Amino acid sequence: MKQILWILSLILFVISPLLAQSTTKEPAILSQTKAEAQNSKPEEEATEKERWRFLFYAGAGKADIQTNPNIPFAHRDPNSGLLINPGIGKRTGLTSAGTTNFPSDGSGTNQGTVFTLANDKWLFAYGYTSIDLKMSPANQGTVPIRSFDSSSEHIVRNIRVDYTQKISDLVSAVFSVRQFLRTGNYEWNNVLETTNVSNYYVAFPKFQVNDNMKINIYSLGFKFNYFKNLEIEPYFQYRDARFYANVFSTVGVIQRSDNLLLPSDPAAIGGAWAYQGLGSAYALPLYNAIDKEFGNVGLRLQYHPYKFLFLRSDVRRNPVLAAWEVRGSATVFFNKYFGITLGGIYAEAEINPLSLRGWEIGPTFTYLF
């Protein structure tokens, strides 16, 4: 028995250092595993930022515009049959400057799509919007429009490329190049306009205006992420804008209001062509080009307090033309691939006589690769 106890004691004496060595190594292995797990999380986040994210949005909503184009007129004398400057004879009923305003309000639908491809350095985006509006007279202008039937169609395209350069953990510089393209088609039918002379009006069967606008935009911003889940980006912007407009009209007639000759009346149109009554009038065929260059200041905010919620806003001020533009959107993701986005815009008139308000809502699809 003593021999057995002695042997067991000898075995314990021999293996005890080995047991002690194994027990001291276990915490080191566990701590190393924990450290690797902690280090792997930021690495995974960094890898995710470096990966490309594709995003597609398609939505529909409502849009409202206000426009007040200034259109030049010509008048044909009924006695001589010659075109005269409407500024010479105010009796014709046209404005003394030979032009008139066409203040109009429009309301209708808009549909848009946006494609975006981005990582932590680059962003490529393309947007397309179609707007269809029904127009009505607005209470603006020196010569009021009594009535007309009108419609308007607009196509808007946006191309954007951003590059982000990290300066520190809290600040990044953002270089952005954009191109904004808009084309519009307006048509006014059966226009009845009050003139400067009592009991007279100008009546036109149809006006057509085609315009397009092209803006090249270059901006430099500084993105701050000092606050958690909040990005603040003030920016400076330079815009090179070009606006073109083409105006066409059928021949109209200037008549006394007691004749009750509406522009759709064939006798009024025939009388205008035959130089009867007070004479005929029409909008001068016009090709108008406006070129402007100006600087803007703006502020972008992006806030995502939760993984499923993204809030964005962009406020821009044109100090030269005293115009504001405000854009905003909210996206709610139901899973990592699908969500819903609601967006809105308020833009005041700049180089073209058009102000815009609108909103859209639609599905958003995203994929990380």
Side-chain angles (χ1 to χ4, degrees):
M1 186 68 179
K2 290 182 179 180
Q3 291 179 350
I4 295 173
L5 293 174
W6 185 84
I7 293 171
L8 291 174
S9 301
L10 181 61
I11 293 172
L12 290 173
F13 178 78
V14 172
I15 66 174
S16 59
L18 298 176
L19 292 173
Q21 185 177 3
S22 64
T23 54
T24 55
K25 283 185 177 180
E26 283 180 0
I29 295 172
L30 290 174
S31 61
Q32 183 179 358
T33 305
K34 291 179 180 179
E36 290 177 353
Q38 291 175 354
N39 293 332
S40 63
K41 189 174 181 181
E43 290 177 359
E44 289 176 359
E45 292 179 355
T47 304
E48 182 174 334
K49 288 182 179 180
E50 292 174 356
R51 294 166 66 185
W52 289 93
R53 178 174 293 278
F54 172 76
L55 186 142
F56 171 73
Y57 160 80
K62 188 175 182 296
D64 298 286
I65 69 169
Q66 295 81 39
T67 183
N68 192 12
N70 192 268
I71 299 176
F73 280 86
H75 174 249
R76 189 180 295 275
D77 188 276
N79 300 317
S80 64
L82 299 177
L83 288 174
I84 63 172
N85 185 341
I88 296 175
K90 204 171 181 179
R91 62 179 177 80
T92 61
L94 298 176
T95 62
S96 58
T99 63
T100 190
N101 294 87
F102 252 63
S104 308
D105 290 334
S107 181
T109 60
N110 62 302
Q111 302 85 34
T113 58
V114 178
F115 298 86
T116 302
L117 186 64
N119 62 10
D120 63 330
K121 287 185 176 296
W122 291 96
L123 181 143
F124 303 94
Y126 173 77
Y128 177 91
T129 302
S130 174
I131 305 174
D132 297 312
L133 302 165
K134 178 70 174 177
M135 310 292 291
S136 60
N139 296 321
Q140 301 177 32
T142 57
V143 179
I145 301 293
R146 287 190 175 181
S147 63
F148 59 71
D149 299 320
S150 180
S151 61
S152 176
E153 299 176 351
H154 301 264
I155 299 296
V156 180
R157 296 177 177 87
N158 272 289
I159 303 170
R160 178 176 177 177
V161 178
D162 287 4
Y163 174 74
T164 302
Q165 178 60 53
K166 181 178 178 182
I167 299 175
S168 68
D169 292 337
L170 300 178
V171 182
S172 298
V174 182
F175 305 91
S176 179
V177 179
R178 291 178 58 188
Q179 187 175 76
F180 175 89
L181 304 170
R182 184 188 66 81
T183 58
N185 296 306
Y186 306 84
E187 184 174 304
W188 290 274
N189 296 308
N190 299 327
V191 178
L192 187 62
E193 178 184 356
T194 302
T195 68
N196 286 334
V197 181
S198 300
N199 298 323
Y200 290 91
Y201 63 80
V202 184
F204 289 90
K206 179 177 289 188
F207 276 104
Q208 285 183 309
V209 178
N210 304 319
D211 68 2
N212 64 80
M213 182 168 58
K214 177 181 178 181
I215 304 179
N216 297 315
I217 306 169
Y218 311 92
S219 65
L220 170 63
F222 294 93
K223 187 184 295 183
F224 299 91
N225 55 357
Y226 177 80
F227 301 99
K228 186 178 180 181
N229 300 327
L230 174 63
E231 291 182 356
I232 303 173
E233 183 189 339
Y235 62 88
F236 306 92
Q237 191 179 89
Y238 165 79
R239 289 195 166 203
D240 173 20
R242 302 288 183 268
F243 175 72
Y244 308 92
N246 298 287
V247 180
F248 310 94
S249 78
T250 55
V251 172
V253 62
I254 301 172
Q255 288 285 355
R256 292 181 60 88
S257 59
D258 51 13
N259 288 335
L260 300 177
L261 295 175
L262 296 177
S264 58
D265 190 332
I269 304 305
W273 278 104
Y275 316 124
Q276 297 175 0
L278 293 177
S280 61
Y282 66 91
L284 289 173
L286 169 69
Y287 178 75
N288 187 26
I290 302 174
D291 299 342
K292 287 194 176 182
E293 299 178 5
F294 44 80
N296 292 325
V297 292
L299 179 67
R300 295 190 187 96
L301 299 176
Q302 179 171 294
Y303 183 50
H304 48 96
Y306 309 101
K307 278 193 172 182
F308 64 88
L309 179 63
F310 285 84
L311 304 175
R312 302 176 184 87
S313 67
D314 188 345
V315 180
R316 179 179 62 84
R317 172 68 172 173
N318 185 331
V320 177
L321 302 176
W324 288 94
E325 181 180 286
V326 181
R327 297 174 180 267
S329 67
T331 303
V332 178
F333 283 100
F334 302 109
N335 55 49
K336 64 179 181 178
Y337 299 114
F338 175 77
I340 296 291
T341 298
L342 172 64
I345 179 175
Y346 169 82
E348 296 179 343
E350 292 187 74
I351 65 168
N352 64 324
L354 185 147
S355 299
L356 172 66
R357 299 188 306 270
W359 59 268
E360 282 184 359
I361 187 170
T364 300
F365 302 92
T366 183
Y367 182 72
L368 191 67
F369 61 94

